Amino acid sequence: AALAVAAGLSPLAKLSGLAVVAFAVATLGGLAWRRRDPRWFVRTAGPVVLATCVLAGWWYVRNLRLYGDLTGVSHMLLPAIRRDFSVDRWLAGLPGELAGLWYSSWGLFGWFTVMLPGWVYGAISVAAACGVLGLARAARGRAPWLDWRRIGWLVAWWALVFASLLRWMTIAKGGHGRLLFPAIAGLAVVLVAGWRALVPARFSDRAFAAAVAF
């Protein structure tokens, strides 16, 4: 019931919430396949889809009636933020936009007007790189404490949201890190797993968790 309500409300908050629903249903489908129980999938995914239709469906029907556009994007894209897409121009500007996306994921105020000190972004980048390297080390050593299927699923979830953001950046200017927040929990789990792989085993999980929280 909690999953159905949370997933059902997500498309009402952001269009990317539709990806949340798709990911939830796909996850339940994967679990049902492992259980070899299609009826379990119907019992679990059915309420998620129904809750989405009841809680958020009316908004998309409203968009269709008012704007002739199910998502309302055509009405939302004001001339000031609309992008005239050109592959060459978009690819040339992509590195700079990805850098802005990274900065705004961690701390940025206004429309890139008030930023954190440069060393803060540097420290965050180093910490994130350590997490990735640690995860690679754990993969190489086949760490038994990691469920790689779940890690892969979390990475796929983040990649899905990131791909939807790239699609948005082809039609609108200014990609912001907040648009990746629907999948931030999955990325956090992956980074923490990578950091844990770099910490000696003699440190308890409790001590490690306290250090990360600090």
Side-chain angles (χ1 to χ4, degrees):
L3 175 63
V5 172
L9 286 173
S10 58
L12 200 58
K14 258 328 186 187
L15 282 178
S16 56
L18 292 170
V20 174
V21 177
F23 182 73
V25 171
T27 301
L28 294 171
L31 292 173
W33 181 80
R34 291 173 63 180
R35 290 166 173 254
R36 300 293 192 273
D37 188 354
R39 288 182 294 181
W40 185 88
F41 174 70
V42 175
R43 291 197 305 270
T44 54
V48 172
V49 174
L50 179 62
T52 302
C53 294
V54 172
L55 296 174
W58 63 271
W59 176 258
Y60 294 89
V61 173
R62 173 186 179 275
N63 287 337
L64 191 61
R65 292 186 61 186
L66 284 179
Y67 314 124
D69 180 1
L70 192 65
T71 63
V73 169
S74 60
H75 180 74
M76 182 171 56
L77 281 177
L78 301 175
I81 66 170
R82 186 180 296 117
R83 186 193 299 269
D84 294 325
F85 182 68
S86 165
V87 175
D88 294 338
R89 188 167 60 247
W90 185 76
L91 289 177
L94 188 59
E97 291 206 52
L98 291 179
L101 190 67
W102 178 253
Y103 294 147
S104 62
S105 294
W106 298 103
L108 189 147
F109 306 94
W111 197 275
F112 291 87
T113 53
V114 181
M115 299 181 68
L116 298 176
W119 67 267
V120 175
Y121 296 116
I124 290 172
S125 298
V126 169
C130 287
V132 174
L133 290 175
L135 196 67
R137 179 184 178 184
R140 183 177 181 182
R142 297 183 180 180
W145 50 272
L146 273 180
D147 187 330
W148 291 104
R149 289 178 300 181
R150 293 185 178 185
I151 290 293
W153 195 238
L154 291 175
V155 171
W157 164 229
W158 185 87
L160 174 64
V161 175
F162 181 68
S164 68
L165 175 57
L166 287 180
R167 168 68 179 88
W168 171 253
M169 289 167 59
T170 63
I171 61 175
K173 301 175 183 176
H176 288 267
R178 60 184 173 80
L179 301 177
L180 293 172
F181 285 178
I184 197 171
L187 184 61
V189 170
V190 170
L191 286 178
V192 170
W195 293 333
R196 186 66 181 97
L198 296 177
V199 176
R202 66 175 178 271
F203 287 91
S204 68
D205 288 341
R206 187 182 297 275
F208 169 74
V212 170
F214 177 78

